[in-house]
Amino acid sequence: MDPDTGLSCDICVNNLLAVVNTKLLRDYAQIDQRLRQLAFIVKHWAKSRRVNETYQGTLSSYSYVIMCIHLLQLRRILPCLQEMEATCYVTVDDNHYAYFDQVDKLSNYGAHNNETLSSLLWAFFHYWAYQHDYTQDVISIRTGKIISKHMKDWTRRVGNDRHLICIEDPFETSHDLGRVVDKFSIKILREEFERAANILQYDPNPSVKLFEPYVPPPPFGTLDEEGILSTAGAII
């Protein structure tokens, strides 16, 4: 944590591919300002609801940004830079990566779509709550579309890697960013997506409840303020 600002951050040493990933995300963000705004809100929501901790089986901030890019690609607000004629070439550990990075030429790409940030936020949560096929689909911003788990051979667990929510890394294509999610945390994630979608659709003032900090349920068999032992809804 930075002592002056109080901001927390991750520090990676000698991870050159992370630099390429960061440049790709920055290039996408320069095409349409709605990506940066949407990603900030989704990341704030994820932190508030405690679904932004990979060591606890949920998703990283990087994963959420990829999910936001995927949504905007589906809605033709963002292009697929890796499917366009390459202008940026990078080699990391003998692996070659390329994509179109002259994004100043794409500033009006999504101008035909006038969806507001609030409608896109609802669309994000509605997609992950009710539209995404968790049993079959992999999101891929590398191709700008959805591909199948069978195509990636992500239909079975290998070691600690599970494929319950599949998010393809745009450069390390054998890497599923959702591999850390287990059968318990996928249930929590999907419940949180549904909660957020329903709040945005039905709550007249959604901003308060949407970011309400997650409070875990009390452990089984705890004393309340009056010293009465409560267990599974019964008072003993």
Side-chain angles (χ1 to χ4, degrees):
M1 180 177 290
D2 178 66
D4 294 329
T5 63
L7 294 175
S8 59
C9 61
D10 295 327
I11 299 177
C12 297
V13 178
N14 203 33
N15 184 358
L16 299 180
L17 189 56
V19 178
V20 184
N21 286 338
T22 301
K23 173 174 163 51
L24 179 69
L25 300 190
R26 184 189 66 184
D27 287 338
Y28 270 117
Q30 290 178 332
I31 297 172
D32 196 293
Q33 65 176 352
R34 287 172 288 185
L35 170 61
R36 187 185 300 270
Q37 296 166 341
L38 179 65
F40 273 137
I41 294 174
V42 169
K43 287 167 66 176
H44 178 60
W45 163 84
K47 186 173 182 180
S48 299
R49 299 302 298 172
R50 295 175 61 176
V51 288
N52 190 27
E53 299 167 335
T54 54
Y55 64 90
Q56 292 188 355
T58 53
L59 298 171
S60 66
S61 294
Y62 178 56
S63 299
Y64 283 114
V65 177
I66 297 294
M67 293 159 74
C68 290
I69 293 174
H70 168 71
L71 177 79
L72 300 190
Q73 284 180 334
L74 291 182
R75 303 177 95 78
R76 301 294 185 265
I77 294 173
L78 291 178
C80 177
L81 296 179
Q82 287 169 275
E83 288 286 290
M84 301 174 67
E85 185 176 354
T87 56
C88 174
Y89 301 89
V90 181
T91 300
V92 178
D93 297 330
D94 296 325
N95 295 312
H96 304 288
Y97 308 102
Y99 70 93
F100 182 84
D101 72 339
Q102 296 180 7
V103 292
D104 55 310
K105 299 179 180 179
L106 300 171
S107 57
N108 293 318
Y109 182 88
H112 64 283
N113 184 310
N114 58 6
E115 287 181 275
T116 63
L117 181 60
S118 58
S119 65
L120 290 172
L121 184 64
W122 173 83
F124 175 89
F125 289 118
H126 187 265
Y127 172 82
W128 286 102
Y130 301 112
Q131 293 179 292
H132 182 76
D133 186 345
Y134 288 83
T135 62
Q136 301 289 336
D137 291 350
V138 179
I139 67 166
S140 169
I141 69 166
R142 170 183 60 91
T143 62
K145 56 189 178 182
I146 295 168
I147 57 182
S148 73
K149 287 187 181 183
H150 288 282
M151 182 184 297
K152 302 288 297 182
D153 194 24
W154 287 352
T155 56
R156 55 194 170 85
R157 177 176 174 176
V158 178
N160 290 325
D161 289 357
R162 308 165 185 87
H163 302 292
L164 302 179
I165 175 171
C166 293
I167 304 165
E168 182 193 66
D169 186 281
F171 293 120
E172 289 185 284
T173 57
S174 62
H175 182 194
D176 177 10
L177 297 170
R179 73 198 186 286
V180 298
V181 176
D182 60 29
K183 63 181 180 179
F184 301 107
S185 53
I186 189 64
K187 181 176 183 292
I188 294 170
L189 271 173
R190 296 185 68 169
E191 287 175 350
E192 287 296 328
F193 290 142
E194 290 180 20
R195 174 186 178 274
N198 291 337
I199 288 172
L200 288 168
Q201 185 163 0
Y202 299 114
D203 195 314
N205 185 24
S207 59
V208 174
K209 193 171 182 180
L210 181 66
F211 304 110
E212 198 171 67
Y214 173 78
V215 178
F220 186 83
T222 57
L223 294 175
D224 63 16
E225 293 180 353
E226 297 179 355
I228 301 173
L229 180 64
S230 300
T231 176
I235 296 177
I236 301 175

